[in-house]
Amino acid sequence: IDPLIKAVIEIALIFGALLVMFYFVRGTRGAGMLKGLGVTLAVIFAVVYFLAQELRLNTITFALEGLVIWAVIGMVIIFQPEIRRTLTKLGQNPLWFNDKKTGTALLREICEAALWLSERRFGAIIALEREVGLTNYAEGGVSIDAEISASLLKSVFFPDSALHDGAVIVQDGRISAAGCFLPLSDDPVSADFGSRHRAALGLSEETDALVLVVSEERGTIRIASEGMLSGNLTQDDLLATVEKVFSKTAKPTRRAE
């Protein structure tokens, strides 16, 4: 095979692999990094490789071919959270339509509780399961298996409650567990955000869950989804935003600042 054609095929395969990875990590903290890194490496590799072929610089050509392998290993290390999230998605059975829609009435109960907790500056974190299961996180908490109601959520996150420090997990339209501990995000968040927001981001990075978090210090309400944290949500836009994000018709607007 002609060396030039071989180089074109190699670059095309690398671009194809990067596009597949970007499809799965889009909307996460690694998406922008992957896009910039992929374009930069591809351009540098193409230019140097073509020059090495034309000038018959065999040592450089050999080194570049080996560099591809090390680049793949490096990307696996750098994008470990995104790859784990991708594998989790692929692990779901694509041939089985898993419909886990939470009705508007149930979302309204959750938003009502969030607003009540926000007014009193009672911290809270509520994770709503979508396609990726949250059973392993629910098993670490206290099993409840109760219907969603604003009054129950208020009592769980009341400061005197034994479960108020953990997260509530909603599965199949029911509160499955409370007092659950979630993985903390490694992303450098602002000093204005505490462990609840880091936990909300951490879960949204590893799964496709919608995580609603109420700040104990500021009383703000935010949504974490796909590794992104929304701005403060008010009574006027809370329910509409939760519905849109949960149904995947919209995404949070910006990274935590």
Side-chain angles (χ1 to χ4, degrees), residues 11-37:
I11 294 172
L13 289 175
I14 293 173
F15 262 115
L18 289 173
L19 286 175
V20 172
M21 288 186 63
F22 182 74
Y23 172 80
F24 284 105
V25 304
R26 70 191 191 282
T28 68
R29 58 179 178 170
M33 186 188 304
L34 177 62
K35 186 189 299 182
L37 182 62

Side-chain angles (χ1 to χ4, degrees), residues 2 10-12 22 25 28 49 55 62 64 93 98 103 108 127 179 186 197 206 243-244 246:
D2 186 87
E10 289 178 344
I11 294 172
F22 182 74
V25 304
T28 68
Y49 192 88
L55 300 177
F62 177 78
L64 286 176
N93 189 348
N98 188 10
R108 186 177 292 113
D186 293 327
H197 292 83
E206 296 193 3
E243 286 181 323
K244 288 180 180 179
F246 191 78

Side-chain angles (χ1 to χ4, degrees), residues 52-188:
Q53 288 288 336
E54 290 295 325
L55 300 177
R56 300 185 182 279
L57 303 175
N58 297 328
T59 303
I60 295 179
T61 301
F62 177 78
L64 286 176
E65 291 175 349
L67 181 63
V68 173
I69 299 176
W70 288 106
V72 172
I73 297 175
M75 292 182 69
V76 170
I77 297 174
I78 294 173
F79 298 104
Q80 181 182 359
E82 284 76 17
I83 292 174
R84 182 171 61 246
R85 183 168 174 263
T86 298
L87 293 176
T88 302
K89 280 188 174 182
L90 293 176
Q92 305 299 310
N93 189 348
L95 301 180
W96 177 54
F97 181 71
N98 188 10
D99 186 8
K100 293 183 177 179
K101 292 184 179 178
T102 298
T104 300
L106 299 182
L107 292 178
R108 186 177 292 113
E109 292 288 324
I110 294 173
C111 292
E112 178 186 335
L115 290 169
W116 186 88
L117 294 166
S118 173
E119 292 174 356
R120 291 157 181 78
R121 296 197 175 185
F122 295 160
I125 180 168
I126 305 171
L128 282 68
E129 181 184 82
R130 291 200 279 196
E131 294 180 6
V132 179
L134 301 179
T135 301
N136 55 327
Y137 301 106
E139 288 175 347
V142 177
S143 178
I144 293 182
D145 189 24
E147 293 184 0
I148 297 175
S149 69
S151 58
L152 177 56
L153 291 171
K154 292 175 186 178
S155 63
V156 168
F157 291 112
F158 195 81
D160 291 336
S161 169
L163 303 175
H164 79 281
D165 279 334
V168 160
I169 292 182
V170 175
Q171 297 178 291
D172 296 320
R174 295 176 65 83
I175 298 177
S176 62
C180 304
F181 292 97
L182 308 180
L184 298 181
S185 172
D186 293 327
D187 191 54

